[in-house]
Amino acid sequence: MSSSLSAPLSSALTPKKSQVAPMLLLIVGIMASLAAAAYGYIESRRTERVVIAARDIPYASRITVDDLAVIELPLHRPVQVAGITDPQAVIGQYATRQIGMNDLLNPGMLAASPPDEPVYPNGRKLERNMVPAPFALTGVGPVTDRDRLNIGFIASDPSLCDRERADVPLGTILEAPTTLLVMSEGARSYACRWMSGIPILYIEGEIAYLEMTPAQAHALRALQAANVALWAERYGAASDPLQYMDRLDAAQVILPDLTRPMTETLRIEPQVVPGATLPVPGANAPIPGAPAQPSPDAAPDPLP
């Protein structure tokens, strides 16, 4: 009888664990989540005013209040579209590039004084002491202002593309060549890789404006004035510069040179054998000092 009475008594004396604390924690967590969601929603709806161009603003022009407009953008946005929020920070500044209507203004477009170096519509800047040289892109193919050009020419005067003349000290006065620059009928001609990796400033139609030193541009115009046939090829900005003044006659093209790895063919040296002769295609007269033509059955020259 005593044992049956002791069980209810002991259970009555030992209180059950309270369920209030977990419920309070759950309620607090739900309320905190709701508050965070509400705060995030409110923040996502917040905006701020930023300055844009109300019309086209030419390069180097001074910006006035009539050039500007204000729009609302989300307060939290990528840094690339941060823009300028105060119109007073823009008025009176000078455009460092061509700014189009509705363009978002940023500090890189503005300068406190007029730019002293020319800038092209694509934003490319002509560096100090450099000049733009127009060059026809006929035959080059698709090319952009992020590419570079290798330039060469075709001529019949060997003195135009001579390593000994190319490697003379700076300022050396060379005698003018006595032969004609323009190819005459039946004359032997060659191709010369002249300049490598010339930057393209801007492309307008079929004309590319190349960034050159004054001496390079002067030489280019001299070849154009002499009616020398020019050629060019698209080249990557990160590619290795090729050797200049690399004359290549059609008779010097041999299979081993064309099948070498690229790193070994940045420059194909003339394969001239003293005393050897080679007939010109379409003619019977041999040319002194030219490499001997291999027979069709002969084995290709060994790799160096």
Side-chain angles (χ1 to χ4, degrees), residues 29-223:
I30 294 174
M31 294 180 63
S33 299
L34 292 175
Y39 176 79
Y41 175 78
I42 294 173
E43 284 294 308
S44 67
R45 303 294 295 178
R46 290 181 60 188
T47 61
E48 69 175 346
R49 301 169 63 186
V50 294
V51 182
I52 65 170
R55 57 190 179 187
D56 291 339
I57 303 176
Y59 160 75
S61 62
R62 192 173 186 182
I63 299 175
T64 66
V65 65
D66 296 330
D67 296 322
L68 307 177
V70 175
I71 63 172
E72 296 282 341
L73 286 182
L75 179 63
H76 303 284
R77 58 187 183 274
V79 66
Q80 293 84 351
V81 290
I84 297 176
T85 58
D86 183 9
Q88 295 301 321
V90 180
I91 298 173
Q93 299 288 306
Y94 292 87
T96 59
R97 46 158 287 186
Q98 179 80 19
I99 302 176
M101 186 174 61
N102 295 329
D103 280 355
L104 188 69
L105 297 184
N106 60 66
M109 299 178 178
L110 310 173
S113 58
D116 56 359
E117 298 290 347
V119 177
Y120 286 82
N122 59 355
R124 293 289 301 276
K125 177 181 178 181
L126 182 66
E127 297 299 330
R128 184 173 178 269
N129 296 333
M130 303 295 280
V131 296
F135 187 87
L137 293 175
T138 306
V140 178
V143 66
T144 71
D145 54 22
R146 296 180 298 276
D147 297 313
R148 300 191 175 217
L149 286 186
N150 298 331
I151 301 177
F153 58 85
I154 299 173
S156 58
D157 181 6
S159 64
L160 282 179
C161 194
D162 191 319
R163 288 296 304 179
E164 292 183 0
R165 291 169 60 89
D167 292 334
V168 296
L170 184 65
T172 301
I173 299 177
L174 301 175
E175 295 182 3
T178 57
T179 55
L180 295 176
L181 301 179
V182 184
M183 290 184 295
S184 59
E185 186 177 356
R188 186 181 183 187
S189 60
Y190 62 86
C192 178
R193 187 180 300 282
W194 185 36
M195 289 186 289
S196 174
I198 300 299
I200 299 176
L201 289 169
Y202 183 63
I203 296 176
E204 186 175 25
E206 291 296 320
I207 301 297
Y209 294 88
L210 308 181
E211 185 176 46
M212 291 183 168
T213 66
Q216 290 173 335
H218 201 169
L220 176 63
R221 289 181 172 86
L223 291 178

